Amino acid sequence: MAIYSTAVSDPLPVVAVWAGFVVVQALTGWYALRLDGERASALWVLPLQQFVYRQLLYLVVIQSLATAVLGVRLRWHTVRREGTFSTPTAPGLLPSP
């Protein structure tokens, strides 16, 4: 809708609203990262979230709705595991005999 509004009418209001949302999200994201004691350097990708992640999320929702409406039964997928796993043996981690 934003792309259509930008193409048909004055793009300034659409861009201003989008920028306002990005600023609010950046401020709340910065505050959350600050509370967690993390660096706020990851916030530079926030504007991309509006275009990439949300569209991917919409695609998944549409696919799920189509699957539910059509009544397609989905199977559980199994994960193929390879390799070995070993636990570290440190003093105090093993139960006493």
Side-chain angles (χ1 to χ4, degrees):
M1 194 67 183
I3 294 171
Y4 176 75
S5 296
T6 304
V8 174
S9 64
D10 184 22
L12 185 60
V14 174
V15 172
V17 168
W18 179 78
F21 276 113
V22 170
V23 167
V24 170
Q25 288 177 346
L27 289 174
T28 56
W30 173 81
Y31 183 64
L33 290 172
R34 183 180 165 117
L35 287 177
D36 285 343
E38 298 181 22
R39 290 183 286 154
S41 61
L43 289 176
W44 71 269
V45 294
L46 189 64
L48 295 177
Q49 184 257 356
Q50 298 292 327
F51 295 111
V52 179
Y53 178 74
R54 291 204 184 212
Q55 305 313 316
L56 180 64
L57 187 66
Y58 293 149
L59 180 66
V60 169
V61 169
I62 290 170
Q63 181 184 11
S64 299
L65 284 173
T67 302
V69 168
L70 294 175
V72 177
R73 296 190 57 93
L74 298 176
R75 299 181 311 146
W76 286 97
H77 298 284
T78 59
V79 177
R80 188 173 139 201
R81 293 178 171 87
E82 296 179 0
T84 59
F85 176 75
S86 62
T87 58
T89 55
L93 291 180
L94 298 176
S96 57

